[in-house]
């Protein structure tokens, strides 16, 4: 049986080529992900301690920043050779043209003691005193800065001012390489620029021969209660954990999409073996006739699938290594910091080979079992014309019930306010399509084929008849396509609906011409005051919130306050101003406040100007829904002087044009490289840009699953052509032209692809509609918006891919002479 199995593989290598390709692509996705991530992980381990090469101990802040005075106390501890405070935050650099250097600016306090310095200096030196700065080498080269020249640096705590550039450093591939400039300052300068009240940690170098455990005990004795002392092993272990935490999440996301591709490949393989083994009915019966047992036939089929899976998996590993190399070359071009080369481990290779082989064998189990049930008498029949068995009543009944349950779950998710019901409904609906497919898919093929009949006549009728002659096969082929397209459609519909909801929210809540946002952090402390001082600007409102006494206090502007309120329950908004508050009705009812009541906030009395209703959710998790009040900006600054916001809304003064107002804003912002000015349209684009990027990423990953499914369409059509060799020859003998033969196969492929695409789009849109209804109920203004153009593009791609998939089967059908094809057994 082994020799016979190997001979069958050689004889039918072309038949199994496309199914092998499905395994290759699925395994390549898995292997490529693991190889790429292993490379990044090895790089993460290597760079985790890059800035702690000379750090023996560290004093870390747990809740509050570490004051500078504590650094001096630590230096004085017996056994400490050097100690320096370190913090990391956000900063910005003004380029040679006076504009901010693009990208997130990573600012760090650089140790001034040589015993603690671990930076790789490219040119010059590290800052030793106040007023000096070191930048990363690429920023210096890009902007044309020279050592000794002034460079303007600013941040959240202070506007840009000149610092002397004393050196350039190499931080590429480290945790401080985040795509923008790296800024190294001395500790006091870093505190001033970031506006932080203290350091994040104190780096400590022990003296020669000092016992580090004993030194840690002495440090703990002089430090504050809100700090913790860590030894070198803890520091490095936590650095490694921080370095790989995000990488671990990234790996899980990639593997989820890889799993989708593998599942699709499994459908394709199972369908392929079902067709191939069905076409071997006479051969199998002859083997049974000459003495082969059912067990031998079953094991031979599984051996064949295992060999195919092993070879395809090996090719998939090679292709995966190429994919990983391509990702490593592409991501840096997209300004995504990537470090580490390709790392091919034995575990990755073994896992990929095992996964591909097991997947192929598992997909072949049911077809192999069915093939082993062939009776010896089948050798006397013509297997080529045996009709496909219809689906059993139990399967169809179960499919109908599961499909109905899935639809019910999707419809009820919003009412139950359970996101899990959305996922459950999508899974059940898909399983219902799989089980009910042998009835649903042929019916849809007949419906879609009806408009084609007037155009293609008998050719279309033959295509429809061929497509539905084996309902199980048609259902299995289209189901593989449903998986990928439903997921793509769900993300497209969900993304477009989310973008539309964000845009409506901006229209409702941002009623101004200009918006200033912080880049990677809050707005600088003096910025709002400087903007208010400009006569060209009429409204300047910095959005800020704080929590006190289990109440969320919001800064508000009297001109803008009415845009988020749904109703005024009592009082008058016109009376809202300094010394007054607007109390939301839930809070007023809970505290017994009404118009004219006195409210005390942090020891200051305020009078209630109005009781209002607002559907904006609270930001603080410790605050009950509706326990909110609003105060004017100046009062908020007095109550919470250190609270900053990430966004400021600005309107021109009366009679001032938009261009003049923008120029005034830009004049102020020229001193703040960590902020960004946008009009309302640009602000919407910024908020929705993340959605677009995510959609592009997801669509690219799911595209492989769609490609694998289309490979399945081509494979099914190709194997069906082999099965219908004599039938096609008869059609050609009675006058069917070569052009009509190609058209018949093309129509058949298009119909199967269209059914899969339509089912996938319907399922994906349904899942997104359920999710949007849930979000709308929870809070927000979310409704389903269908991206008609993108969904139409999916259908068009499916049609074009199906037409291409029909080319090789048509060539095979027309390759053999009619007489030879008629004699085919």
């Amino acid at each position: 049986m082994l020799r016979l199995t190997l001979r069958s593989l050689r004889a039918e290598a072309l038949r199994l080529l496309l199914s092998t390709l499905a395994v290759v692509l699925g395994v390549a996705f898995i292997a490529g992900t693991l190889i790429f991530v292993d490379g990044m992980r090895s790089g993460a381990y290597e760079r985790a301690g890059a800035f702690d090469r000379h750090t023996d101990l560290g004093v870390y802040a747990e809740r509050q920043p570490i004051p500078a005075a504590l650094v001096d106390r630590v230096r004085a501890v017996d056994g400490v050779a050097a100690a320096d405070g370190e913090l990391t935050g956000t900063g910005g650099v003004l380029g040679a043209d006076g504009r901010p250097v693009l990208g997130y600016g990573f600012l760090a306090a650089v140790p001034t003691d040589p015993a603690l310095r671990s930076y790789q200096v490219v040119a010059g030196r590290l800052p030793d005193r106040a007023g000096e700065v070191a930048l990363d080498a690429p920023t210096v080269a890009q902007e044309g800065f020279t050592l000794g020249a002034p460079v303007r640096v600013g941040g959240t705590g202070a506007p840009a001012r000149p610092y002397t550039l004393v050196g350039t450093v190499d931080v590429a591939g480290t945790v401080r390489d985040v795509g923008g400039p790296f800024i190294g300052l001395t500790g006091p300068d870093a505190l001033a620029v970031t506006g932080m009240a203290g350091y994040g940690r104190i780096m400590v170098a022990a003296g020669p021969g000092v016992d580090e455990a004993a030194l840690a005990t002495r440090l703990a004795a002089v430090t504050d209660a809100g700090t913790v002392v860590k030894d070198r092993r803890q520091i490095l272990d936590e650095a490694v954990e921080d370095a790989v935490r995000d990488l671990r999440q990234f790996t899980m996301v990639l593997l989820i999409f890889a799993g989708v591709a593998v599942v699709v490949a499994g459908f394709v393989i199972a369908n392929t073996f079902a067709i191939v083994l069905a076409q071997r009915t006479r051969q199998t019966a002859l083997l049974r006739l000459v003495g082969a047992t059912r067990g031998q036939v079953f094991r031979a089929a599984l051996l064949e699938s295992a060999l195919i899976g092993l070879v395809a998996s090996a090719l998939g590993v090679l292709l995966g290594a190429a994919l990983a190399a391509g990702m490593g070359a592409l991501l840096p071009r997209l300004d995504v910091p990537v470090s580490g080369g390709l790392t091919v481990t034995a575990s990755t290779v073994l896992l990929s080979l095992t996964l591909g082989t097991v997947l192929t064998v598992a997909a072949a189990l049911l077809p192999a079992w069915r093939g082993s049930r062939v009776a010896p008498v089948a050798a006397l029949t013509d297997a080529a014309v045996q009709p496909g068995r219809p689906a059993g009543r139990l399967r169809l009944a179960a499919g109908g019930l599961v499909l109905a349950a899935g639809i019910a779950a999707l419809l009820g998710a919003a009412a139950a306010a359970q996101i899990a019901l959305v996922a459950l409904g999508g899974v059940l609906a898909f399983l219902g399509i799989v089980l009910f497919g042998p009835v649903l898919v042929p019916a849809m093929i007949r419906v879609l084929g009806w408009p084609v009949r007037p155009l293609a006549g008998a050719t279309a009728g033959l295509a429809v008849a061929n497509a539905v002659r084996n309902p199980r096969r048609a259902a299995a082929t289209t189901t593989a396509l449903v998986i990928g397209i439903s997921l793509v459609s769900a993300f497209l519909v969900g993304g477009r609906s989310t973008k539309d909801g964000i845009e409506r929210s901006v229209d409702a809540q941002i009623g101004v011409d200009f918006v200033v946002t912080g880049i990677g952090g809050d707005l600088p402390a003096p910025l709002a005051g400087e903007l208010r001082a400009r006569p060209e600007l009429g409204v300047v409102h910095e959005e800020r919130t704080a929590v006190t006494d289990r109440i969320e206090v919001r800064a508000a502007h009297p001109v803008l306050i009415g845009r988020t309120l749904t109703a005024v329950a009592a009082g008058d908004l016109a009376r809202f101003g300094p010394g007054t508050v607007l109390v939301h009705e839930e809070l007023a009812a809970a505290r017994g406040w009404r118009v004219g009541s006195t409210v005390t906030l942090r020891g200051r009395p305020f009078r209630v100007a109005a009781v209002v209703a607002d559907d904006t959710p609270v930001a603080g998790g410790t605050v009950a829904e509706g326990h909110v009040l609003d105060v004017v900006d100046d009062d908020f600054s007095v109550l919470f002087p250190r609270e900053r916001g990430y966004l400021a809304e600005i309107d021109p003064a009366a009679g001032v044009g938009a261009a003049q107002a923008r120029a005034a804003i830009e004049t102020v912002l020229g001193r703040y490289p960590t902020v960004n000015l946008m009009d309302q349209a640009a602000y919407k684009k910024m908020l929705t840009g993340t959605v677009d990027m995510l959609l592009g990423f997801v669509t690219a990953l799911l595209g492989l699953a769609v490609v694998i499914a289309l490979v399945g369409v081509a494979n099914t059509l190709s194997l069906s052509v082999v099965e219908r060799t004599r039938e096609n020859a008869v059609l050609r003998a009675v006058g069917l032209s070569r052009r009509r033969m190609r058209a018949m196969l093309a129509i058949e492929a298009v119909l199967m692809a269209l059914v899969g695409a339509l089912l996938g789009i319907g399922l994906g849109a349904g899942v997104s509609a359920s999710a949007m209804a849930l979000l709308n109920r929870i809070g927000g203004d979310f409704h389903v918006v269908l991206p008609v153009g993108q969904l139409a593009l999916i259908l068009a791609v499916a049609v074009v891919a199906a037409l291409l998939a029909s080319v090789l089967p048509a060539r095979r059908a027309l390759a053999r002479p009619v007489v030879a094809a008629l004699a085919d057994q």
Side-chain angles (χ1 to χ4, degrees), residues 806-823:
S806 70
V807 172
L808 288 179
R811 182 175 298 176
R812 174 177 291 183
L814 296 171
R816 298 186 67 182
V818 173
V819 175
L822 287 171

Side-chain angles (χ1 to χ4, degrees), residues 274-288:
I275 297 172
V276 170
L277 294 176
Q279 291 174 357
R280 289 185 194 164
T281 299
R282 177 175 292 180
Q283 176 184 336
T284 304
L286 287 172
L287 288 175
R288 295 291 315 283

Side-chain angles (χ1 to χ4, degrees), residues 450-731:
W450 179 76
V452 185
R453 291 176 186 269
L455 301 176
T459 304
L462 289 170
V464 172
N466 286 333
V468 303
R469 71 163 57 186
N470 193 317
R472 288 172 177 262
R473 182 182 303 174
T477 302
T478 56
T479 298
L481 199 55
V482 169
I483 300 175
I485 290 184
S486 64
L487 290 172
V488 171
S489 301
F491 279 101
L492 288 177
V493 175
R496 185 65 190 90
S497 301
T498 302
K499 288 176 62 177
D500 186 75
I502 291 173
E503 290 170 354
R504 282 198 303 271
S505 177
V506 171
D507 290 336
Q509 298 185 21
I510 307 294
V512 295
D513 290 346
F514 300 103
V515 173
V516 173
T517 61
I519 300 175
D522 292 334
L523 296 173
L527 178 61
E530 293 184 21
L531 290 170
R532 291 191 187 100
R534 299 291 304 196
E536 301 92 341
L537 307 179
V539 173
V540 177
H541 168 55
E542 182 181 1
E543 290 193 357
R544 291 169 290 172
T545 63
V547 175
T548 181
D549 190 24
R550 292 172 296 160
I551 299 172
E552 182 175 293
V553 182
R554 297 176 180 173
H557 196 288
V559 175
L560 305 176
I561 188 62
R563 70 193 167 192
T564 58
L565 300 181
T566 56
V568 178
D572 186 359
L573 288 182
R575 296 182 180 178
F576 178 55
T580 66
V581 296
L582 298 178
V583 180
H584 294 227
E585 54 186 358
E586 294 89 348
L587 177 61
R591 302 288 177 98
W593 294 336
R594 50 184 178 271
V595 176
S597 297
T598 298
V599 175
T600 302
L601 297 174
R602 310 196 90 177
R604 293 177 175 270
F606 293 86
R607 183 176 52 85
V608 176
V611 177
V612 299
D614 184 4
D615 57 3
T616 305
V618 297
T622 60
V623 177
E625 192 68 30
H627 283 225
V628 180
L629 57 78
D630 299 288
V631 299
V632 296
D633 288 318
D634 290 340
D635 286 342
F636 187 94
S637 297
V638 173
L639 292 171
F640 308 99
R642 298 194 63 83
E643 291 292 338
R644 300 264 59 84
Y646 73 94
L647 179 144
E649 302 167 84
I650 305 171
D651 254 346
V656 177
Q660 185 179 356
R662 176 182 281 274
I665 298 171
E666 289 176 343
T667 300
V668 175
L669 299 190
R671 302 172 58 230
Y672 296 95
T674 59
V675 296
N676 190 24
L677 171 63
M678 292 172 284
D679 57 21
Q680 194 174 109
Y683 183 58
K684 289 180 184 178
K685 188 174 181 180
M686 182 198 73
L687 293 177
T688 58
T690 303
V691 178
D692 290 330
M693 182 179 66
L694 180 62
L695 282 179
F697 177 71
V698 168
T699 303
L701 293 178
L702 291 175
L704 182 61
V706 177
V707 169
I708 294 174
L710 290 170
V711 166
V713 173
N715 197 28
T716 299
L717 195 61
S718 180
L719 293 172
S720 298
V721 164
V722 174
E723 186 177 76
R724 302 197 302 255
T725 299
R726 283 202 294 171
E727 178 183 325
N728 290 336
V730 170
L731 291 174

